[in-house]
Amino acid sequence: MRRLLLSLAFALSAAPAFAQGTEAEPQAAPGSIAIGMIEQVDGDGIFDLVHDGGVTVRHTRSGLTCHFLRNGDGGRLLIFAPQVDPARPTEPPAIARGDDVACEMVEGGAHVRYFATRYPFGSTLEEQITGVEAAIRRRSPDAVRYPGEATRNTDDGLPLRRTTRFIITQDGARTYTRASVARIGDWILKLRYSAPAPTDAAAAQADGAADLLFDGALSEIVNPTR
């Protein structure tokens, strides 16, 4: 299901691709590429390989599954440094290593990053959305809010989702950008998605693609199949 959602999402936002007329070079096996990504961040035990024939990695603690291109291009895993309280430097970090992770990929012209974070002090979806909105406006003072559904309920079996959307200028180009957040158990799941949007129609396509991606990621956690 997630693989289908990914294909549909990027089909919505992808630019046309044309054959280069050259013979393709041999590629490493997808599983080997995924293992290399895990090793690159010293993520053994934090991320596991998913044996689905693709470059697919699962965060073992949250269940977040990351699907990369078959050659791994444009994709990487991130494990954020544990957060130490400067007032109590000798105490254990507030967030342990492996409890704040992300995976990102650039596909079809869209930049996609998923986050999974376990906050020891708890965090509300409203706090998360407020924080990301402030970050977007700091980086892009020209940000203009893009209309869309701010809250999606649980009628589809998925957790409550909050989303904020903007049109910004990035590298001189009109760009659609958004953040979506949800909570599953102790974990806050977040999607950051940005794609070129020279027209309102392109922005609407990007918005639909992002909905598919976030719903697919949450569905894999709520209803794991392997």
Side-chain angles (χ1 to χ4, degrees), residues 193-212:
Y193 181 100
S194 297
T199 65
D200 288 344
Q205 284 188 334
D207 192 46
D211 277 340
L212 284 172

Side-chain angles (χ1 to χ4, degrees), residues 15-31:
F18 299 93
Q20 299 299 313
T22 59
E23 186 175 343
E25 296 181 1
Q27 298 290 331

Side-chain angles (χ1 to χ4, degrees), residues 5-217:
L5 289 172
L6 283 166
S7 299
L8 289 172
F10 288 116
L12 285 172
S13 60
F18 299 93
Q20 299 299 313
T22 59
E23 186 175 343
E25 296 181 1
Q27 298 290 331
S32 297
I33 295 172
I35 291 171
M37 286 183 170
I38 295 171
E39 291 176 344
Q40 190 171 23
V41 295
D42 191 21
D44 188 37
I46 295 175
F47 292 101
D48 280 346
L49 170 67
V50 176
H51 298 277
D52 65 351
V55 182
T56 308
V57 173
R58 180 183 292 117
H59 180 233
T60 59
R61 302 177 194 177
S62 69
L64 174 66
T65 302
C66 306
H67 299 265
F68 300 98
L69 290 174
R70 287 187 63 83
N71 59 8
D73 283 357
R76 64 171 178 160
L77 300 171
L78 300 100
I79 301 176
F80 298 104
Q83 299 182 15
V84 177
D85 186 346
R88 301 177 177 84
T90 60
E91 293 188 5
I95 298 180
R97 187 174 191 273
D99 279 0
D100 190 12
V101 303
C103 55
E104 68 178 15
M105 56 280 295
V106 178
E107 301 184 32
H111 181 268
V112 185
R113 181 181 282 192
Y114 300 93
F115 298 82
T117 307
R118 178 160 52 189
Y119 293 92
F121 46 82
S123 180
T124 67
L125 300 188
E126 183 62 31
E127 289 171 343
Q128 292 292 321
I129 285 294
T130 298
V132 76
E133 284 186 352
I136 290 172
R137 291 187 182 280
R138 280 196 303 271
R139 288 193 299 268
S140 303
D142 67 334
V144 176
R145 192 174 295 279
Y146 182 82
E149 191 176 28
T151 302
R152 297 179 66 193
N153 61 30
T154 58
D155 289 348
D156 54 6
L158 297 178
L160 184 72
R161 285 139 285 169
R162 294 290 308 274
T163 296
T164 187
R165 306 164 175 84
F166 292 92
I167 296 295
I168 63 172
T169 301
Q170 185 168 288
D171 298 327
R174 186 177 188 263
T175 300
Y176 166 89
T177 191
R178 71 180 260 172
S180 296
V181 296
R183 175 184 291 279
I184 298 179
D186 295 334
W187 293 89
I188 292 288
L189 287 306
K190 183 188 300 180
L191 170 71
R192 286 286 286 113
Y193 181 100
S194 297
T199 65
D200 288 344
Q205 284 188 334
D207 192 46
D211 277 340
L212 284 172
L213 290 177
F214 196 47
D215 288 358

